[in-house]
């Protein structure tokens, strides 16, 4: 187990290094940020000064080395646009994304896992058909469409739910609201974006749970458990559930991160001040350090979570736990 | 006295495509098993052996139906029983050993957990006495240092060892009868003999009856007291092992025996010509007639009834081997 954890950790480090290098290169392909900031015909001295202050006058390898060495010290650089440290801006937005992501995640789990299990247990029944329908709608209706429909119905026609933003209990730099008010107030603002974001994932979750459960229920070892005369509730809740949760667990973890980090479209539609919207704005402005920072932080979270899932796997599955 | 298990005219059909396709997997099977004896069920793949076994414990695929027949365990008919009642019979009175030891243990639970389950649910054993019981069961199937090994997980064991664990699980509920569905088919040949000897020893120690399903006639000769030969969902011949090997009466049995390769004999191996029939579309008359070297006109139109042989056993044939044609 110790060696297993070490190997996984090494993989994580390599993945992160690759990500650092790729995003450094990619973001520089998007165009010249100086051209965005300075209008055509601007004073060449001003342009040169801007370029110098952003460090873009140095050769690429110097920029890269500087970038990596600052990263190692935990410094993501300063935003071109806001002249503030990228890290501070990111962490100011992250709680908002976490709130939205968790809400969407809980929604997708609450809908996907029980209904997936039900579909598998009552295969080819009315339940199963309803489950298929939900999954099909979930996977084929894009989140932005669901979001817009929700806005029209519940925000505008019925007027039940607020349409934009996350509500007044904001976490603003230097003005922290308490933990409880942040997570539990203004849930009305959360309902529509969380639903629109979790919608897609609940369909996928349902299908994965169903197929995992069906595989396990058809296996010989479940047959043998039944042949032992173990009560059906124990067959399902103990043997089948534990075995079918392994793929669901991995998938759910990755989903959570995707929802936290890449909810760009939903965040833009609902004007939700999370990291997705931050990335969207940064890309539009060619704000290199900001883009790099957001992407790297998302990558870091994904790598750390993957690592955690791998270790958790080890605890669930004795085949991994007991190997050296 | 009633036999331990009596199966009478059992019919189990798989119904598919909204009832348009009916596969008669088990079509009028009758046999009985006495306490402590070993009854063999032999036949080619897809002749209904496994469906018969699953029907006895009432764990059939959702598309399968027991259409008619009786399954009496110690005089009690199992067919009308609910799944809840069957649960208290499975593992406690009828245990089963499956074919593939690599797939029949739950990978996420320890050997102890899996062997303990029948004793936990059927005998109500808990704590120390459960532990003692599991150790005793593992000892009986010759697992070395059972105290240590019962903490292990299935992936840490070889196929032979896993099948012995499955044997221990079968014993755990103290059953009167064990259905062994090709228990050695997926084992190495060297391990097969060991496992068969183990089953014999367990049987001698506990007096449990065995239904032994196999397509290997060598194993039948070693293990069984009486044998039923299945073809296309029916038992075509039933005899004592001696009778079956020395005086086969059904042409199919004869053909099966002839298709065993013999060591030291330089002869072309005889197969059985043709394919086993489609169980959804059986030939008229006797199902075996398209492949039967002795088929006469009557075999094409009329299905033979099972009739008793002198001594013991029965055969389903219009023209059994060793009887003059006029009798048939």
């Amino acid at each position: 187990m110790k060696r297993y954890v070490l190997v996984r950790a090494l993989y994580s480090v390599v993945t992160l290094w690759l990500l650092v290098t790729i995003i450094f290169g990619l973001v520089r392909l998007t165009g010249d940020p100086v051209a965005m900031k300075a209008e055509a015909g601007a004073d060449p001295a001003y342009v040169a000064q801007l370029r110098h202050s952003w460090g873009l006058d140095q050769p690429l390898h110097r920029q890269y080395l500087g970038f990596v060495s600052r990263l190692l010290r935990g410094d993501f650089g300063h935003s071109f646009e806001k002249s503030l440290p990228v890290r501070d801006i990111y962490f100011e937005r992250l709680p908002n994304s976490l709130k939205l992501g968790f809400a969407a995640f809980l929604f997708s789990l609450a809908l996907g896992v029980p209904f997936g299990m039900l579909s598998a247990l009552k295969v080819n029944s009315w339940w199963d058909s309803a489950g298929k329908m939900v999954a099909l709608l979930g996977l084929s209706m894009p989140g932005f469409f669901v979001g817009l429909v929700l806005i029209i119905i519940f925000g505008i026609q019925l007027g039940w739910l607020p349409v934009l933003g996350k509500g007044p209990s904001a976490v603003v730099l230097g003005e922290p609201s308490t933990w409880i008010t942040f997570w539990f107030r203004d849930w009305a603002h959360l309902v529509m974006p969380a639903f629109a974001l979790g919608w897609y994932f609940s369909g996928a979750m349902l299908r994965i749970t169903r197929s995992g459960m069906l595989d396990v229920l058809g296996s010989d070892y479940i047959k043998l458990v039944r042949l032992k005369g173990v009560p059906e509730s124990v067959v399902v809740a103990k043997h089948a559930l534990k075995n079918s949760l392994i793929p669901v667990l991995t998938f759910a973890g990755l989903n959570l991160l995707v929802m936290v980090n890449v909810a760009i479209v939903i965040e833009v539609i609902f004007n939700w001040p999370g990291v997705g919207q931050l990335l969207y704005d940064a890309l539009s402005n060619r704000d290199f350090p900001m883009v790099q920072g957001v992407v790297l932080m998302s990558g870091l979270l994904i790598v750390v979570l993957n690592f955690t899932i791998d270790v958790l796997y080890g605890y669930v599955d004795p085949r991994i736990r007991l190997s050296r | 006295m009633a036999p331990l298990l009596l199966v009478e005219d059992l019919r189990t059909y798989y119904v598919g495509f909204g009832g348009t396709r009916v596969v008669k997997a088990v079509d009028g099977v009758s046999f009985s098993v006495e306490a402590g004896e070993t009854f063999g069920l032999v036949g080619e793949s897809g002749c209904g052996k496994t469906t018969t076994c699953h029907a006895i414990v009432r764990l059939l695929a959702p598309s399968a139906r027991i259409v008619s027949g009786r399954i009496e365990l110690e005089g009690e008919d199992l067919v009308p029983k609910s799944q809840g009642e069957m649960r208290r019979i499975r593992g406690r009175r009828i245990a089963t050993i499956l074919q593939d030891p690599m797939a029949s243990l739950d990978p996420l639970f320890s050997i102890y957990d899996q062997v303990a389950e029948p004793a936990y649910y059927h005998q109500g054993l808990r704590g120390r006495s459960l532990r003692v019981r599991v150790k005793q069961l593992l000892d009986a199937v010759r697992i070395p240092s059972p105290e240590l090994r019962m903490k292990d997980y299935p992936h840490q064991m070889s196929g032979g060892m896993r099948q012995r664990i499955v044997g221990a699980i079968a014993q755990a509920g103290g059953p009167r009868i064990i259905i062994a569905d090709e228990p050695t088919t997926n084992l190495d040949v060297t391990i097969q003999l060991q496992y068969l000897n183990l089953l014999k020893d367990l049987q001698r120690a506990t007096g449990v009856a065995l239904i032994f399903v196999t397509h290997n006639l060598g194993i039948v000769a070693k293990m069984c007291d009486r044998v039923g030969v299945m073809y296309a969902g029916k038992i075509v011949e039933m005899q004592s092992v001696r009778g079956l090997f020395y005086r086969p009466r059904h042409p199919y049995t004869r053909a099966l025996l002839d298709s065993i390769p013999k060591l030291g004999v330089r002869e072309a191996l005889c197969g059985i010509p043709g394919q086993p029939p489609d169980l959804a579309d059986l030939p008229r008359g006797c199902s075996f007639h398209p492949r039967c070297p002795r088929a006469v006109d009557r075999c094409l139109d009329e299905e033979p009834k099972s009739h008793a042989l002198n001594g013991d056993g029965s055969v389903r044939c219009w023209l059994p081997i060793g009887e003059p044609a006029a009798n048939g």
Side-chain angles (χ1 to χ4, degrees), chain A residues 235-286:
Chain A
V235 175
V236 172
K238 188 174 152 191
H239 292 275
L241 186 63
K242 196 171 173 189
N243 275 288
S244 61
L245 274 187
I246 289 181
V248 175
L249 192 71
T250 329
F251 191 68
L254 288 176
N255 274 353
L256 172 61
L257 273 196
V258 172
M259 285 187 258
V260 169
N261 284 301
V262 211
I264 300 174
V265 176
I266 298 293
E267 287 189 3
V268 170
I269 288 183
F270 287 96
N271 195 25
W272 188 268
V275 293
Q277 207 189 40
L278 188 63
L279 180 63
Y280 177 80
D281 292 341
L283 275 169
S284 329
N285 296 325
R286 295 187 194 152

Side-chain angles (χ1 to χ4, degrees), chain A residues 123 219-232 234 238-240 242-244 246 316-323, chain B residues 54 57 59 87 90-92 94-96 98 100 103-109 113-115 117-118 121-122 153 155-156 166 169:
Chain A
V123 72
S219 71
D220 273 10
Y221 57 82
I222 292 298
K223 194 197 272 176
L224 191 73
V225 174
R226 286 185 170 141
L227 285 167
K228 287 188 215 174
V230 172
E232 189 61 22
V234 178
K238 188 174 152 191
H239 292 275
K242 196 171 173 189
N243 275 288
S244 61
I246 289 181
V316 177
D317 194 333
R319 282 166 293 191
I320 299 173
R321 188 198 323 148
L322 297 174
S323 68
Chain B
H54 287 169
V57 289
L59 266 184
R87 180 185 78 70
R90 292 195 280 259
R92 169 147 72 179
I94 309 179
T96 312
L98 296 174
D100 186 359
S104 37
L105 294 172
D106 187 331
L108 301 188
F109 289 88
D113 282 334
Q114 304 196 46
V115 176
E117 265 177 339
Y121 288 108
H122 296 311
Y153 287 85
H155 73 279
Q156 291 166 303
V166 177
I169 290 172

Side-chain angles (χ1 to χ4, degrees), chain A residues 106-120:
Chain A
L106 287 181
F107 168 75
S108 74
L109 276 189
L111 193 70
V113 173
F115 283 94
M117 283 180 59
L118 216 58
S119 293

